[in-house]
């Protein structure tokens, strides 16, 4: 197993789960990194400015990702797969949607390498630019009626590029806040990037909702659906402007000046931390599954099977997502006080209990009851999701943190996000309520619950209070729980 030569001591901005024995974690060899990483509050850039730049970037990136999901649920099937039946067309559109998730681990590996070798800041700029350009291009792709099979092929390629960019975004954005934040408020500040997905969803679907309400069906199908994709270009420029002056994190500067950056971070992660990587991917699967069930599959199901107007369904979903965004920082504060792991276990348990009520309330076709079902399901999910911005980086050493945390996070996307709309659509094909969807989601929630049960607590305040062993126990916690 690889021995990290430089686990910092208690004054470091982030705890490092050292693969070395806890007794050697506080070696003298660690002191150069500790001294460099320790920053006086007066010299740190303002946390609010950093967190806002991080939130803005993830909101824009997820806007790009979500606008495709909404279009896939509403119009892409008949426009790009016209020879398919309505069900097959929806499945095919969701298939191109899933390709973005398959690309995300690859993007996290590529951008994670950049982040661990060359800095977190370049990741923030490059990932935003790539995703923005790909999204604008989706809005320009001719339909099947114009160029035939080349249309879905181009759609597939651009969705893949979207996934590459988003795969790198999360790791850079989270580390920007986590590695600057004081440890007693790390959960709070690291929750700002976690607010990005609901904000991006509201931006994407707010624009879709406005266009859907103001245009005729013919206008929306002809050109209206393209407008949100074109708007991504302006949002990407705004995001690049916000991030232009972001400073590199103290921990990466320390690793650079002491010559301790990983030469091959992905290989190091797979060689020494593969169990941890699989556990974090499985743990995050429920967040993706629940979120995309509510925001993507439910939209298609309610409009196609229940006969509800897309404006009504989008409004129901947006209300629930807005509540999720508002609650995120509040839950993160609880994570700083009580620890990351208890909230993750509670969130997974809530999701396991809430999936049958979600399907039952959706089946009523009553907008108020549907909104209630969406909101309760997302509140269960966000109980876990709000704290993973601090949790995942704390599980990995700084030299491999951008790669490890991002790849683990995006593996969860493959397990829970890529397949869920496809599987749910297939399971719902039949008379009666789609109880098979509830069974599927409950199973994913139980899988994630088991993975979190095998992960350690990482919150520095909680670990020190509970162990009495100081920094050494905290530094070795993660790897002790997942030996390589």
């Amino acid at each position: 197993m690889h021995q990290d030569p430089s686990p910092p001591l208690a004054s470091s901005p982030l705890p490092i789960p050292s693969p070395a024995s806890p007794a050697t974690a506080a070696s003298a060899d660690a002191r150069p990194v500790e001294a460099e990483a320790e920053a006086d509050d007066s010299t740190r850039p303002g946390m609010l400015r950093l967190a806002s730049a991080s939130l803005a970037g993830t909101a824009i990136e997820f806007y790009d990702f979500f606008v495709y999901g909404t279009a896939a649920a509403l119009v892409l099937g008949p426009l790009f797969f016209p020879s398919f039946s309505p069900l097959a067309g929806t499945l095919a559109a969701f298939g191109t949607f899933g390709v973005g998730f398959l690309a995300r681990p690859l993007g996290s590996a590529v951008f994670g390498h950049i982040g661990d070798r060359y800095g977190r800041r370049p990741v923030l700029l490059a990932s935003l630019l790539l995703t923005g350009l790909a999204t604008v291009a989706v809005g320009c792709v001719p339909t099947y009626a114009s160029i035939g099979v080349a249309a879905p092929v181009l759609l597939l390629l651009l969705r893949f590029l979207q996934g590459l960019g988003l795969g790198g975004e999360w790791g850079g954005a989270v580390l920007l806040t986590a590695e600057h934040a004081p440890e007693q408020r790390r959960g709070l500040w690291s929750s700002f990037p976690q607010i990005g997905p609901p904000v991006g969803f509201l931006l994407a679907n707010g624009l879709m909702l406005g266009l859907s309400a103001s245009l005729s069906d013919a206008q929306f199908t002809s050109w209206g659906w393209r407008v949100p994709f074109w708007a991504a270009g302006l949002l990407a420029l705004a995001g690049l402007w916000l991030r232009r002056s972001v400073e590199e994190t103290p921990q990466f500067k320390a690793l650079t000046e002491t010559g301790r950056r990983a030469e091959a971070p992905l290989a190091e992660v797979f060689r020494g931390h593969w169990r941890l990587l699989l556990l974090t991917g499985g743990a995050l699967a429920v967040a993706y599954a629940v979120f995309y069930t509510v925001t993507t599959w439910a939209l298609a199901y309610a409009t196609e099977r229940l006969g509800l107007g897309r404006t009504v369904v989008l409004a129901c979903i947006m209300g629930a997502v807005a509540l999720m965004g508002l609650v995120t920082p509040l839950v993160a504060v609880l994570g700083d006080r009580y620890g990351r792991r208890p909230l993750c276990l509670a969130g997974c348990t809530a999701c396991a209990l809430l999936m049958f009520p979600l399907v039952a309330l959706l089946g009523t076709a009553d907008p108020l009851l549907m909104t209630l079902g969406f909101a309760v399901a997302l509140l269960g999910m966000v109980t876990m999701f709000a704290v993973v911005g601090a949790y995942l980086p704390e599980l990995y050493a700084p030299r491999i943190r951008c790669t490890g945390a991002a790849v683990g996070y995006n593996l969860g996307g493959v397990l829970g996000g890529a397949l869920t709309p496809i599987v749910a659509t297939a399971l719902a094909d039949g008379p009666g309520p789609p109880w098979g969807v509830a069974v599927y989601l409950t199973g994913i929630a139980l899988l994630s619950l088991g993975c979190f049960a095998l992960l350690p607590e990482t919150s520095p305040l909680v670990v020190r209070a509970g162990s009495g062993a100081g920094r050494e126990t905290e530094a070795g916690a993660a790897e002790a729980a997942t030996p390589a």
Side-chain angles (χ1 to χ4, degrees):
M1 182 182 297
H2 177 79
Q3 297 286 321
D4 186 353
S6 56
L9 305 181
S11 57
S12 163
L14 268 183
I16 296 181
S18 171
S21 101
T24 62
S27 67
D29 193 37
R31 296 187 185 280
V33 177
E34 174 201 359
E36 182 63 31
E38 183 178 5
D40 187 285
D41 284 344
S42 64
T43 63
R44 281 181 180 164
M47 280 306 304
L48 183 59
R49 179 173 61 85
L50 280 171
S52 298
S54 180
L55 188 160
T58 53
I60 293 167
E61 291 261 21
F62 277 94
Y63 166 91
D64 295 348
F65 206 71
F66 290 147
V67 77
Y68 189 101
T70 304
L74 295 178
V75 296
L76 295 187
L79 291 177
F80 288 87
F81 305 95
S83 61
F84 290 18
S85 68
L87 174 62
T90 300
L91 285 170
F94 281 151
T96 61
F97 175 74
V99 166
F101 285 100
L102 297 178
R104 283 172 65 168
L106 177 60
S108 63
V110 172
F111 286 103
H113 179 88
I114 296 171
D116 286 325
R117 285 292 300 156
Y118 305 106
R120 320 317 191 193
R121 186 175 182 274
V123 173
L124 296 172
L125 302 177
S127 61
L128 184 60
L129 184 62
L130 174 60
T131 309
L133 290 174
T135 305
V136 172
V138 169
C140 300
V141 176
T143 63
Y144 187 95
S146 300
I147 60 173
V149 73
V153 171
L154 286 174
L155 206 62
L156 200 69
L157 174 62
L158 292 171
R159 181 59 175 175
F160 185 84
L161 293 177
Q162 271 191 325
L164 281 180
L166 189 59
E169 165 65 25
W170 186 85
V174 164
L175 293 193
L176 173 68
T177 53
E179 291 190 341
H180 278 107
E183 68 175 23
Q184 70 273 17
R185 289 289 180 268
R186 187 180 301 134
L188 172 61
W189 291 116
S190 298
S191 73
F192 274 63
Q194 303 301 85
I195 302 172
V199 171
F201 180 86
L202 292 173
L203 286 174
N205 287 278
L207 188 51
M208 280 285 192
L209 181 61
L211 289 166
S212 178
S214 60
L215 300 176
S216 67
D217 285 346
Q219 290 172 322
F220 184 80
T221 303
S222 175
W223 57 268
W225 68 271
R226 298 181 183 271
V227 173
F229 290 92
W230 296 335
L234 296 177
L235 291 174
L237 290 176
L240 290 171
W241 182 83
L242 285 172
R243 289 182 166 182
R244 74 195 190 286
S245 60
V246 165
E247 297 183 16
E248 191 52 79
T249 68
Q251 292 226 343
F252 185 79
K253 290 179 182 178
L255 291 171
T256 299
E257 295 186 10
T258 55
R260 290 172 176 160
R261 290 173 295 172
E263 292 295 327
L266 183 62
E268 192 170 319
V269 168
F270 279 125
R271 184 175 61 248
H273 310 278
W274 61 271
R275 287 188 180 90
L276 180 59
L277 197 65
L278 292 177
L279 284 176
T280 51
L284 268 292
V286 66
Y288 286 95
V290 173
F291 189 85
Y292 285 101
T293 293
V294 170
T295 60
T296 301
W297 170 76
L299 176 60
Y301 181 82
T303 55
E304 295 173 7
R305 293 289 301 278
L306 301 181
L308 297 174
R310 58 176 173 252
T311 301
V312 173
V313 183
L314 277 174
C316 295
I317 296 171
M318 288 174 66
V321 172
L323 180 61
M324 169 189 162
L326 291 173
V327 169
T328 298
L330 303 178
V331 176
V333 171
L334 296 178
D336 279 327
R337 182 168 183 179
Y338 300 108
R340 327 296 188 208
R341 187 170 175 268
L343 290 176
C344 290
L345 295 174
C348 291
T349 302
C351 288
L353 296 174
L354 291 171
M355 295 304 98
F356 278 89
L358 168 64
V359 169
L361 291 171
L362 173 63
T364 66
D366 182 284
L368 290 179
L369 293 178
M370 288 169 55
T371 303
L372 175 63
F374 297 155
V376 171
L378 291 181
L379 288 178
M381 183 273 283
V382 83
T383 304
M384 174 271 287
F385 186 71
V387 300
V388 298
Y391 197 7
L392 264 64
E394 288 172 344
L395 288 167
Y396 293 89
R399 56 186 285 117
I400 57 169
R401 180 173 291 147
C402 195
T403 300
V407 172
Y409 182 84
N410 286 294
L411 278 179
V414 175
L415 294 172
L419 297 177
T420 292
I422 300 172
V423 172
T425 299
L427 291 174
D429 183 30
W435 298 119
V437 176
V439 173
Y440 172 75
L441 293 173
T442 302
I444 293 181
L446 293 175
L447 168 68
S448 294
L449 180 65
C451 290
F452 275 121
L454 295 174
L455 289 172
E457 180 58 70
T458 61
S459 172
L461 302 182
V462 173
V463 169
R464 282 200 295 270
S467 69
R471 181 61 198 170
E472 290 87 0
T473 300
E474 176 190 336
E479 289 304 315
T482 55

